[in-house]
Amino acid sequence: MNINNIITQTYQSIEELKKYKQSLIAESVTKGIDPNVEMKDSGIEWIGMIPKHWTIKKVKYFLSESSVKNYPNETVLSLYRDYGVIPKDSRTDNHNVTSSDTSSYKLIEKNDVVINKMKAWQGSLGVSSFKGIISPAYYVYKIIDSDIYSNFLHYVLRNNLYLDEYRRISSGIRIGQWDLEKKEFEKLLYPFPNSTSEQQQIVQYLDKKIFTIDSLIEDKTKVIEELENYKKSLIYEYVTGKKEV
DNA sequence: CGCGTCTTATCTGCGATACT
DNA sequence: AGTATCGCAGATAAGACGCG
């Protein structure tokens, strides 16, 4: 069996795991985790049926925009598709330079919703578990509905059923940096379980599942790395060794 | 008219990839 | 291996907008 085949296959199984993770999240936050519950039509075309006891809510009524500035000494945060909202200096792969004057940065409190308006269509939005400040090129919202559990909302906002819709309500010329239109976003509808305890159950369920899937992905990534290194050493020998064109 | 906010396009640094 | 080019993830400047 040649190395390239193994690498390709491992790579594919990682992709499948990632897809499974996405659909598991989407399924859980729109259908719940009890398969025996009675369903009803949500009226939202990209969602379809939802549990009967869930409620559809409009962004405008559960989020309120916040733009608090002049806290230049707070921790600078950054929003990642993969990691959510984290302190910017906790990663070395962010090459963007923080402005020398952070007084126009927006203040984020714990549990605030942060949206990268240019990358929302890729799922670049989430609920922060940190307090800090972020570049003014983001939208910051506060949750004003006390029946919504912030960690549940985090999964809901990022679930992939909504990505096409985010893309649709974004506009702009530069490829890959379409601007999410705030007004359109505020019109979006999301389904929620009525009780926060059910929201918490779903979050716990997802956290556990995702941890398992992520560690599987990690293992496979390591396998690929090892194989790539082996392949490189072969190529190196070929190129520097007795090769003649 | 002045000022703050929003929009838009351009800019950036470096890892990844392609090629030789 | 060494070099050249691409692409990612996001920051930011500057003009447009709009409010009192």
Side-chain angles (χ1 to χ4, degrees), chain A residues 10 12 14 18 22-23 35 40-42 59 72 102 106 111 121 136 150 162 169 186 188 204 212 232 239:
Chain A
T10 315
Q12 278 169 359
I14 290 179
K18 284 184 178 167
Q22 290 308 319
S23 57
K40 67 175 175 189
D41 187 4
S42 66
V59 167
T102 51
K106 291 183 182 173
N111 294 336
W121 60 280
S150 58
Y162 279 86
I169 60 173
E186 289 174 358
L188 284 183
Q204 277 169 20
T212 311
K232 264 188 204 141
V239 170

Side-chain angles (χ1 to χ4, degrees), chain A residues 220-234:
Chain A
K220 287 181 186 290
T221 308
K222 273 183 198 145
V223 170
I224 286 183
E225 266 171 31
E226 278 161 23
L227 290 173
E228 289 283 3
N229 284 338
Y230 178 58
K231 195 170 115 189
K232 264 188 204 141
S233 69
L234 288 184

Side-chain angles (χ1 to χ4, degrees), chain A residues 172-191:
Chain A
I173 290 176
R174 166 101 189 227
I175 293 173
Q177 277 190 203
W178 300 286
D179 243 44
L180 183 73
E181 285 177 30
K182 198 164 45 176
K183 293 233 163 60
E184 290 297 317
F185 171 68
E186 289 174 358
K187 284 185 203 159
L188 284 183
L189 302 171
Y190 294 86

Side-chain angles (χ1 to χ4, degrees), chain A residues 188-206:
Chain A
L188 284 183
L189 302 171
Y190 294 86
F192 292 94
N194 279 343
S195 72
T196 46
S197 63
E198 184 175 350
Q199 296 175 30
Q200 285 173 13
Q201 276 170 29
I202 294 173
V203 168
Q204 277 169 20
Y205 169 83
L206 281 176

Side-chain angles (χ1 to χ4, degrees), chain A residues 2-208:
Chain A
N2 87 44
I3 302 178
N4 280 330
N5 281 348
I6 303 177
I7 291 177
T8 308
Q9 280 181 13
T10 315
Y11 186 72
Q12 278 169 359
S13 65
I14 290 179
E15 286 307 299
E16 276 162 25
L17 281 171
K18 284 184 178 167
K19 269 188 205 152
Y20 172 66
K21 184 165 90 173
Q22 290 308 319
S23 57
L24 180 74
I25 294 173
E27 176 98 10
S28 306
V29 299
T30 54
K31 317 281 184 202
I33 52 181
D34 177 1
N36 299 317
V37 80
E38 202 181 335
M39 306 293 276
K40 67 175 175 189
D41 187 4
S42 66
I44 304 171
E45 66 180 292
W46 57 90
I47 287 185
M49 306 294 276
I50 60 170
K52 199 173 177 187
H53 63 288
W54 287 27
T55 308
I56 305 280
K57 293 184 176 179
K58 195 182 257 190
V59 167
K60 193 176 163 177
Y61 299 120
F62 66 80
L63 290 181
S64 159
E65 198 187 358
S66 153
S67 180
V68 181
K69 299 184 177 179
N70 285 313
Y71 285 86
N73 299 321
E74 289 289 336
T75 314
V76 177
L77 303 176
S78 191
L79 176 61
Y80 283 73
R81 266 182 312 174
D82 292 339
Y83 312 106
V85 181
I86 55 173
K88 188 174 175 193
D89 57 14
S90 70
R91 295 193 63 79
T92 53
D93 59 357
N94 185 335
H95 318 300
N96 294 304
V97 186
T98 304
S99 168
S100 58
D101 177 13
T102 51
S103 61
S104 69
Y105 275 39
K106 291 183 182 173
L107 183 69
I108 298 172
E109 298 279 1
K110 218 176 153 185
N111 294 336
D112 281 356
V113 175
V114 181
I115 299 172
N116 178 334
K117 64 196 175 88
M118 299 183 201
K119 302 281 180 181
W121 60 280
Q122 290 181 321
S124 195
L125 66 177
V127 176
S128 176
S129 47
F130 296 95
K131 181 184 179 187
I133 50 175
I134 200 151
S135 158
Y138 294 79
Y139 296 142
V140 177
Y141 285 91
K142 292 196 176 301
I143 303 173
I144 51 176
D145 183 334
S146 57
D147 292 331
I148 291 177
Y149 174 50
S150 58
N151 290 356
F152 182 77
L153 183 61
H154 180 74
Y155 282 126
V156 171
L157 290 175
R158 297 162 71 93
N159 96 67
N160 62 358
L161 295 177
Y162 279 86
L163 298 189
D164 285 344
E165 188 60 13
Y166 294 152
R167 169 68 190 93
R168 198 182 67 71
I169 60 173
S170 301
S171 61
I173 290 176
R174 166 101 189 227
I175 293 173
Q177 277 190 203
W178 300 286
D179 243 44
L180 183 73
E181 285 177 30
K182 198 164 45 176
K183 293 233 163 60
E184 290 297 317
F185 171 68
E186 289 174 358
K187 284 185 203 159
L188 284 183
L189 302 171
Y190 294 86
F192 292 94
N194 279 343
S195 72
T196 46
S197 63
E198 184 175 350
Q199 296 175 30
Q200 285 173 13
Q201 276 170 29
I202 294 173
V203 168
Q204 277 169 20
Y205 169 83
L206 281 176
D207 283 347
K208 214 157 101 187

